[in-house]
Amino acid sequence: SYYRHETEEAHPDYYSVMLDRYDIKAELTATARVGLHRYTFPQGKQAHILVNLKDGVGSIVTNSYIRQIDEYTIEGYRYTRGWSPMRKVYFVLQADKPIADLSLYDDTVQVAAKSQLKARAVKGVLSFGEQQQVMVKVALSPVSCENAMANLKAEMSGFDFEHVRKACAAQWNERLNRITIETDDEAAKRVFYTSNYHTMVAPTLFCDVNGQYRGINDMIYTAPEGFTNYTTLSLWDTYRTLNPLFTLVNDEMVPDIVNTMISIYHQNDKLPVWALQSGETN
């Protein structure tokens, strides 16, 4: 869809945009492992949401799967290669309105199956009838759909969008306020805090609420108590600047990042070069 920056809004805790081609407003917020979407549709129009497991930037899908669990919930996975030799992402999607129909496609070819499909390029169209607004929460896991469901139950029991956004904003404000600047130049302040935000885009959390994560060797591990596993370790880009900065302003993450590197060494017989999820990009 076309969109315009005039109808786009972006914050660390919230994103929204008008999809001009369809006159649909999309809004997003999140917890650590669960994204919350809110879609507002035109009055009197049919509400559809496409789950596209084929297309993505910088990766080739090798296997994908969707299964409907009940009238509100689907689950599935997406395996890809490219850049990283292997990435496996499992998900559970739960809507606040009943799914009136699930149409399944292998790329562009609709299939007769109505409840599940495993193929290289699965796409699912969730239809909700005439609904002014539909909310969906999507939980991710590197391990399994069961773990994705556990993440969903642990982090987002309901569909209170403003509550989730407020909690997310509080977390970001706590991090961003670890460095304060004094200036009357609002533009300079915006540039500084945007840059500060960018320093915290990675490394990224890579373990479930039960401590399980997928290792660089595709085996499943359980983190010992007190250890949080991370990924997106762009080490040749960050060791001179970002990692030293973390020792000053995100110091509680530093032991976990170091121990993630050590755990990769034990799994792979070498320290990471540029670890991405369950693959080494080298």
Side-chain angles (χ1 to χ4, degrees):
S1 175
Y2 296 108
Y3 73 98
R4 291 167 290 124
H5 291 305
E6 292 82 2
T7 57
E8 183 185 37
E9 187 177 346
H11 304 277
D13 57 283
Y14 173 76
Y15 177 79
S16 73
V17 67
M18 282 299 302
L19 304 176
D20 287 343
R21 181 177 290 169
Y22 309 102
D23 194 28
I24 297 168
K25 184 177 184 179
E27 300 173 274
L28 309 171
T29 189
T31 62
R33 300 171 180 85
V34 186
L36 181 58
H37 307 226
R38 182 165 62 189
Y39 298 108
T40 304
F41 297 90
Q43 187 75 38
K45 296 288 187 179
Q46 296 288 312
H48 304 284
I49 295 175
L50 167 66
V51 179
N52 182 352
L53 301 182
K54 177 199 173 187
D55 297 306
V57 177
S59 61
I60 299 169
V61 177
T62 58
N63 195 8
S64 55
Y65 176 66
I66 283 179
R67 180 175 79 94
Q68 185 167 1
I69 300 174
D70 56 41
E71 61 177 337
Y72 296 94
T73 313
I74 66 170
E75 67 178 13
Y77 58 72
R78 183 174 187 261
Y79 298 171
T80 61
R81 61 177 173 82
W83 193 14
S84 175
M86 176 188 59
R87 283 176 278 169
K88 295 180 178 180
V89 178
Y90 298 83
F91 73 91
V92 168
L93 180 154
Q94 196 168 80
D96 70 331
K97 305 290 195 306
I99 302 169
D101 181 69
L102 172 63
S103 300
L104 296 173
Y105 294 78
D106 184 357
D107 198 2
T108 59
V109 179
Q110 187 170 5
V111 299
K114 297 301 293 180
S115 63
Q116 62 181 323
L117 177 64
K118 184 185 295 184
R120 183 173 177 181
V122 173
K123 298 175 183 177
V125 178
L126 312 180
S127 299
F128 297 90
E130 283 190 22
Q131 294 286 354
Q132 182 75 46
Q133 193 173 84
V134 176
M135 297 176 67
V136 294
K137 45 191 179 181
V138 184
L140 301 181
S141 165
V143 173
S144 65
C145 292
E146 291 78 13
N147 276 19
M149 179 63 83
N151 293 340
L152 182 73
K153 291 178 178 178
E155 293 190 357
M156 199 179 295
S157 58
F159 289 91
D160 190 334
F161 193 95
E162 298 309 322
H163 174 77
V164 174
R165 180 184 177 183
K166 185 177 179 180
C168 186
Q171 285 186 303
W172 274 110
N173 281 330
E174 191 278 325
R175 289 296 182 95
L176 293 169
N177 281 331
R178 294 182 184 186
I179 303 176
T180 58
I181 62 171
E182 295 181 5
T183 177
D184 295 327
D185 186 340
E186 287 299 316
K189 190 179 292 185
R190 188 177 299 112
V191 167
F192 176 84
Y193 282 107
T194 299
S195 299
N196 192 11
Y197 164 75
H198 286 156
T199 70
M200 292 180 246
V201 170
T204 47
L205 183 69
F206 195 61
C207 65
D208 295 323
V209 292
N210 64 3
Q212 288 188 330
Y213 64 95
R214 188 175 297 274
I216 210 87
N217 55 6
D218 198 35
M219 295 179 63
I220 304 304
Y221 295 86
T222 300
E225 187 174 350
F227 168 52
T228 300
N229 189 67
Y230 282 91
T231 188
T232 324
L233 300 174
S234 175
L235 297 173
W236 68 343
D237 301 308
T238 63
Y239 75 96
R240 288 171 295 200
T241 53
L242 182 65
N243 294 99
L245 177 66
F246 272 27
T247 66
L248 300 175
V249 295
N250 290 310
D251 58 306
E252 73 274 24
M253 287 180 65
V254 173
D256 287 329
I257 294 170
V258 172
N259 283 314
T260 294
M261 296 180 198
I262 293 171
S263 69
I264 290 173
Y265 172 80
H266 289 305
Q267 298 161 21
N268 203 35
D269 291 327
K270 68 176 183 178
L271 286 164
V273 179
W274 206 130
L276 181 61
Q277 296 182 17
S278 54
E280 173 59 75
T281 70
N282 289 306

